[in-house]
């Protein structure tokens, strides 16, 4: 491990690390909490959960989000479900099995200690959310219902139809609003964090911009929590909300916070295919659809027949054929690469031939027969069975089917959906220790903003789990270890020289952007960056491609700072100025992602280097040389230093991943 990295993993047995930690971690007494200030940037599941919990404990909390309401955080888009090791199905699930599936799903590139803690607190998350009134689906007898997700052989995913993220966020939002109403939280919507303020190397606050007036503001905090999500929009086209960005994390990186595993990007296999250059984002069809849908392509290349005209014997259910143990529920990275391979080989469908089918005909028939039997219609004909089956599918996935129909103009109850992989989630993020603190004292990263739990590939339904675990159950304990050392530190006035200097630097950057007065709009540069990243650092990477990408990104950065055009004024609502700052950060991040991908001479999870694959085309890891977390330190623009955190596995035997 690098001398600059200390993961602070507690001693002792894996199963008791967290409980022993909680019993021995320093505490802050209630009277002292009232004089400690915490800033939370981001109001999604991790941010809202953390802010509500910390305010409930007595801390003074400020929350910042760039949306007009915390309810618009991108957490709502996680539709399919949330994992927890409740074993309600009595199918052999356990905390250890969830831990093992997560480590294996991440291709053995995640920390044992963090992942076991995540699995351990997963059961408490469900209890918390039920108590908040989250309307999880239930079985007839009243027990919460579960469904399957990729990378597992048990049913552990709790869900609320196809809008789980939205319902969970409403629960966290309600808890947050309660604290706002009590005066324990100050809410700053339509504000964007543009820098971290440090005094003597310690985090002491942020510089934020009021996006409506354009005014810069200084805010003090004894600690700052970044809960700002992932950076998938570096690819321009992704399933992320268009406002999702890396700016807060990147500003922290440039102030000393190491960036962990930046090249680990998740490509989601179940997205509506790209339809043309006019698109500004892609739409995710929840992975929960793979629970009942079957994925296939024609057995014949360049088959132009309609899907419904291709008989069963002429269909290739390639995931079921290649991975019989998991079938359509292989992990996302495996399913994505398999779809790309079939399309590249000439078996793709649709007008672009860059899509595969996700078919619900079998599920509709199966559910229809079950329903007919249940209601005593033992001689139901095919039409009636189909009718009953559609009703069941509509109850489980109706909003997803409606969304697909609105976007494509096709009825997925009648014809198979067309899907293709797209950028979805980023496993990389700010490097954090067991306490979720970055390499900068007092600066924390929660949820997708950190790198800690998913290794090289995130299993489905684990993002909501991590966000709520970090916010509700981890940070309320771990932040005490730091804040117990800060109780003698009085709130620092924001006219301190460090705040003034930080604001001046932010102002200078805004002035520089506005004064370029070039000829190209911001999206022109973002789209070009996205194409470089998708082509050279997307589903497949190679040494030559990554070297070319780095050169292209450096040239693009130079052109951006000479020729970007930002209309409007600085001291007003100016979305183009917001985007310009974010794209400038994306360009720098894109270079680091390619540098990281070039450095990692192996294939693992979402990082697939063409030079390193098995004869069957699967990812080929190099555990002897790359069983570590890449933690990059910012030196100057385009100049990064690598630090390595060795990954040690005491409870799990590292082996080649197999889902066959």
């Amino acid at each position: 491990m690098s001398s600059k990295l200390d993961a602070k993993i507690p001693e002792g047995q894996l199963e008791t690390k967290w409980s022993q930690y909680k019993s021995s971690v320093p505490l802050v007494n209630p009277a002292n909490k009232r004089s400690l200030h915490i800033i939370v940037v981001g109001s999604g599941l991790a941010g809202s959960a953390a802010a509500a919990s910390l305010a409930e404990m007595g801390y003074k909390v400020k929350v910042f989000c760039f949306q007009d309401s915390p309810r618009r955080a991108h957490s709502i888009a996680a539709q399919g479900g949330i994992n927890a090791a409740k074993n309600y199905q009595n199918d052999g699930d356990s905390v250890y099995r969830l831990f093992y599936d997560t480590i294996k799903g991440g291709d053995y590139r995640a920390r044992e200690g963090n992942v076991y803690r995540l699995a351990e607190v997963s059961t408490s998350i469900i209890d918390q959310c039920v108590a908040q009134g989250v309307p999880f689906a239930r079985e007839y007898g009243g027990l919460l219902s579960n469904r399957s997700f990729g990378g597992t052989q048990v049913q552990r995913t709790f869900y609320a139809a196809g809008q789980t993220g939205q319902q969970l966020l409403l629960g966290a939002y309600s808890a947050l609003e309660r604290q706002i109403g009590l005066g324990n939280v100050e809410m700053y919507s339509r504000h964007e964090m543009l820098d971290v303020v440090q005094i003597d190397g310690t985090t002491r606050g942020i510089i934020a911009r009021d996006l409506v007036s354009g005014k810069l503001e200084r805010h003090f905090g004894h600690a700052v929590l970044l809960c700002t999500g992932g950076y998938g929009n570096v690819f321009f086209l992704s399933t992320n909300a268009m406002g999702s960005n890396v700016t807060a994390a990147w500003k922290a990186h440039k102030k000393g916070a190491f960036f962990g595993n930046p090249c680990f990007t998740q490509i989601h296999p179940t997205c509506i295919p790209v339809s043309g250059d006019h698109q500004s984002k892609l739409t995710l069809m929840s992975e929960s659809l793979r629970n009942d849908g079957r994925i296939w392509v024609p057995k014949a290349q360049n088959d132009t027949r309609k899907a419904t005209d291709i008989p069963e014997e002429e269909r290739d259910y390639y995931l079921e054929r290649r991975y019989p143990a998991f079938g359509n529920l292989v992990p996302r990275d495996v399913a994505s690469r398999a779809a790309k391979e079939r399309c590249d080989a000439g078996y793709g469908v649709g007008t672009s031939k860059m899509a595969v089918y996700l078919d619900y005909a079998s599920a509709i028939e199966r559910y229809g027969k079950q329903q007919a039997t249940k209601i005593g219609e033992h001689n139901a004909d095919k039409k009636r069975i189909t009718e009953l089956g559609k009703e069941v599918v509509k109850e489980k996935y109706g909003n997803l089917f409606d969304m697909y129909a609105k976007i494509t103009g096709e009825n997925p109850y009648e014809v198979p959906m067309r899907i293709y992989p797209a950028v979805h989630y980023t496993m990389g993020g700010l490097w954090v220790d067991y306490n979720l603190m970055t390499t900068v004292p007092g600066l924390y990263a929660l949820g997708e903003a950190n790198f800690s739990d998913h290794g090289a590939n995130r299993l489905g339904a684990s993002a909501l789990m991590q966000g709520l675990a970090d916010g509700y159950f981890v940070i309320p304990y771990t932040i005490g270890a730091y804040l117990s050392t800060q109780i003698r530190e009085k709130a620092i006035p924001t006219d301190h020289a460090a705040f003034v200097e930080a604001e001046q630097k932010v102002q200078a950057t805004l002035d520089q952007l506005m004064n370029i007065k070039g000829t190209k709009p911001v999206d022109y540069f973002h789209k070009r960056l996205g194409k470089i990243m998708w082509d050279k650092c997307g589903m497949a990477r190679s040494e030559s491609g990554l070297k070319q990408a780095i050169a292209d990104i450096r040239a693009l950065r130079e052109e951006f700072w000479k020729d970007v055009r930002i209309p409007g004024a600085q001291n007003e609502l100016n979305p183009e100025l917001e985007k310009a700052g974010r794209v400038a950060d994306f360009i720098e991040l894109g270079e680091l992602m390619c540098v990281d991908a070039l450095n990692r001479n192996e294939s693992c999870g979402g990082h697939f280097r063409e030079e390193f694959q098995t004869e069957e085309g699967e990812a080929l890891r190099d555990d002897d040389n790359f069983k570590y977390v890449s933690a990059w330190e910012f030196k100057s623009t385009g100049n990064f230093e690598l630090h390595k955190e060795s990954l040690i596995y005491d409870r799990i035997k590292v082996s080649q991943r197999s889902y066959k």
Side-chain angles (χ1 to χ4, degrees):
M1 180 186 288
S2 165
S3 60
K4 291 190 177 183
L5 296 175
D6 180 4
K8 295 185 173 67
I9 306 296
E11 299 293 329
Q13 294 293 315
L14 186 65
E15 291 82 357
T16 59
K17 283 183 188 294
W18 180 233
S19 58
Q20 289 179 352
Y21 175 97
K22 290 190 293 182
S23 300
S24 59
V25 67
L27 300 176
V28 180
N29 77 43
N32 286 332
K33 285 174 182 169
R34 291 194 290 270
S35 61
L36 290 169
H37 299 254
I38 299 173
I39 288 173
V40 178
V41 184
S43 62
L45 285 180
S48 289
S53 300
L54 294 170
E56 180 78 35
M57 294 169 72
Y59 295 107
K60 288 181 177 291
V61 180
K62 290 182 177 180
V63 179
F64 295 80
C65 71
F66 67 74
Q67 298 95 341
D68 54 3
S69 165
R71 286 184 58 179
R72 293 179 65 85
H74 188 57
S75 299
I76 65 166
Q79 305 150 324
I82 177 170
N83 289 332
K86 286 283 197 183
N87 194 31
Y88 280 172
Q89 307 297 315
N90 198 28
D91 56 1
D93 200 11
S94 65
V95 168
Y96 181 85
R97 194 176 292 276
L98 174 53
F99 155 71
Y100 174 79
D101 286 345
T102 305
I103 290 279
K104 177 185 175 184
D107 220 353
Y108 305 97
R109 291 294 178 263
R111 277 193 206 131
E112 276 194 344
N114 285 65
V115 176
Y116 193 89
R117 176 177 65 186
L118 176 66
E120 189 177 343
V121 304
S122 68
T123 56
S124 299
I125 296 171
I126 303 303
D127 296 339
Q128 165 88 359
C129 294
V130 169
Q132 290 177 331
V134 172
F136 286 121
R138 294 180 181 268
E139 303 289 359
Y140 178 76
L143 276 181
L144 298 182
S145 183
N146 291 126
R147 57 190 179 202
S148 299
F149 256 63
T152 72
Q153 290 182 303
V154 297
Q155 289 180 270
R156 65 163 68 101
T157 303
F158 296 78
Y159 63 97
Q163 48 181 263
T164 314
Q166 180 173 341
Q167 297 301 330
L168 291 173
L169 184 62
L170 286 173
Y173 169 74
S174 299
L176 173 62
E177 285 295 318
R178 178 174 178 270
Q179 295 302 320
I180 294 172
L182 291 172
N184 299 328
V185 172
E186 289 183 63
M187 184 72 219
Y188 293 83
S189 58
R190 285 294 194 183
H191 280 68
E192 183 167 30
M193 187 201 103
L194 292 181
D195 208 356
V196 178
V197 179
Q198 294 175 345
I199 300 176
D200 298 328
T202 299
T203 304
R204 291 301 183 206
I206 66 170
I207 303 298
R209 181 171 180 264
D210 182 328
L211 296 179
V212 176
S213 69
K215 183 177 181 293
L216 295 181
E217 300 176 1
R218 310 167 191 172
H219 296 272
F220 167 79
H222 288 94
V224 173
L225 279 53
L226 300 184
C227 311
T228 50
Y231 48 87
N233 278 353
V234 68
F235 292 87
F236 186 70
L237 285 179
S238 81
T239 66
N240 290 188
M242 289 176 65
S244 298
N245 64 85
V246 77
T247 288
W250 194 251
K251 301 305 186 190
H253 175 56
K254 295 178 83 166
K255 282 293 184 73
F258 292 4
F259 215 105
N261 296 334
C263 80
F264 286 166
T265 307
Q266 178 160 88
I267 313 294
H268 198 295
T270 319
C271 300
I272 297 178
V274 175
S275 61
D277 293 338
H278 63 284
Q279 279 183 273
S280 54
K281 78 176 298 292
L282 296 174
T283 303
L284 168 68
M285 299 306 296
S286 169
E287 181 175 327
S288 60
L289 294 173
R290 288 202 282 146
N291 188 48
D292 282 313
R294 299 179 72 191
I295 295 171
W296 62 276
V297 293
K299 288 184 177 180
Q301 291 178 318
N302 301 311
D303 196 323
T304 57
R305 289 177 290 176
K306 293 180 180 178
T308 50
D309 292 338
I310 300 176
E312 191 72 17
E313 62 273 12
E314 295 180 35
R315 301 179 177 187
D316 177 16
Y317 296 93
Y318 58 89
L319 291 177
E320 299 172 28
R321 169 172 57 82
R322 293 184 190 178
Y323 310 102
F326 284 75
N328 296 295
L329 288 172
V330 291
R332 291 174 176 178
D333 59 323
V334 177
S336 294
R337 281 197 298 276
K340 181 179 186 296
E341 184 277 329
R342 287 290 80 190
C343 291
D344 289 349
Y347 297 94
V349 302
T351 53
S352 69
K353 298 299 180 185
M354 296 302 287
V356 299
Y357 287 128
L358 176 63
D359 197 334
Y360 257 73
S362 296
I364 289 172
E365 182 180 358
R366 183 177 74 252
Y367 282 129
K369 289 179 178 178
Q370 291 175 0
Q371 194 70 4
T373 301
K374 190 185 298 184
I375 62 178
E377 295 188 19
H378 301 293
N379 297 314
D381 59 18
K382 186 175 181 179
K383 181 180 178 182
R384 178 59 175 159
I385 288 172
T386 300
E387 180 183 308
L388 292 170
K390 286 180 180 178
E391 291 176 3
V392 176
V393 169
K394 185 174 184 178
E395 185 177 341
K396 297 182 76 169
Y397 309 106
N399 65 313
L400 300 174
F401 277 54
D402 292 345
M403 182 171 67
Y404 182 88
K406 285 180 181 177
I407 292 172
T408 65
E410 298 174 358
N411 183 349
Y413 294 101
E414 304 291 341
V415 298
M417 299 181 196
R418 288 173 291 108
I419 58 170
Y420 192 72
V423 172
H424 178 56
Y425 188 91
T426 49
M427 284 75 66
L430 294 179
W431 184 93
V432 294
D433 61 19
Y434 191 75
N435 296 327
L436 305 184
M437 191 190 287
T438 69
T439 47
V440 176
L443 182 65
Y444 293 79
L446 281 64
E448 193 179 355
N450 74 36
F451 87 101
S452 67
D453 291 357
H454 306 298
N457 173 62
R458 178 176 69 79
L459 292 184
S462 289
L464 300 177
M465 177 173 62
Q466 186 205 351
L468 291 179
D470 287 355
Y472 282 138
F473 296 103
V474 178
I475 199 66
Y477 281 100
T478 62
I479 201 168
Y482 174 73
L483 290 180
S484 64
T485 69
Q486 301 295 306
I487 54 178
R488 292 182 178 84
E489 299 291 334
K490 302 298 182 185
I492 297 172
T494 56
D495 59 0
H496 187 284
F499 280 92
V500 175
E501 181 184 356
E503 182 183 322
Q504 287 174 345
K505 288 184 177 179
V506 170
Q507 185 63 59
T509 300
L510 294 172
D511 291 342
Q512 184 181 2
L513 284 167
M514 293 301 299
N515 290 332
I516 294 171
K517 301 186 186 304
T519 63
K520 304 289 195 310
V522 176
D523 279 352
Y524 167 82
F525 294 97
H526 199 175
K527 287 179 179 179
R528 281 181 56 191
L529 173 66
K531 180 166 176 52
I532 294 169
M533 295 300 296
W534 179 251
D535 290 346
K536 303 293 199 301
C537 196
M539 291 183 68
R541 298 102 185 257
S542 68
E543 180 179 356
S544 60
L546 289 166
K547 287 180 176 177
Q548 183 62 53
I550 292 169
D552 291 346
I553 291 170
R554 287 174 176 168
L556 183 67
R557 181 176 67 231
E558 190 173 332
E559 185 181 345
F560 173 88
W561 285 101
K562 287 180 180 177
D563 200 28
V564 71
R565 175 175 55 82
I566 303 169
Q570 186 180 142
N571 296 318
E572 64 181 17
L573 179 64
N574 189 340
E576 288 300 302
L577 178 57
E578 294 171 39
K579 283 198 296 184
R582 295 167 187 170
V583 171
D585 294 331
F586 275 139
I587 291 172
E588 294 184 9
L589 166 70
E591 180 177 355
L592 177 58
M593 291 172 68
C594 293
V595 168
D596 187 40
L598 182 62
N599 171 78
R600 191 170 283 275
N601 289 321
E602 64 165 354
S603 290
C604 57
H607 169 63
F608 190 76
R609 282 283 294 273
E610 294 173 346
E611 304 95 324
F612 306 102
Q613 56 182 300
T614 65
E615 290 183 3
E616 294 83 21
E618 304 292 351
L620 183 61
R621 292 195 324 267
D622 181 353
D623 295 325
D624 292 335
N625 296 304
F626 292 95
K627 195 170 62 176
Y628 62 74
V629 176
S630 301
W632 294 90
E633 180 181 5
F634 180 87
K635 292 295 189 180
S636 61
T637 302
N639 181 20
F640 310 93
E641 180 181 345
L642 174 63
H643 302 270
K644 300 176 182 179
E645 179 200 339
S646 298
L647 291 169
I648 299 167
Y649 295 102
D650 294 324
R651 289 299 310 274
I652 281 182
K653 181 183 177 184
V654 177
S655 60
Q656 193 65 32
R657 266 200 315 172
S658 175
Y659 292 94
K660 297 182 178 180

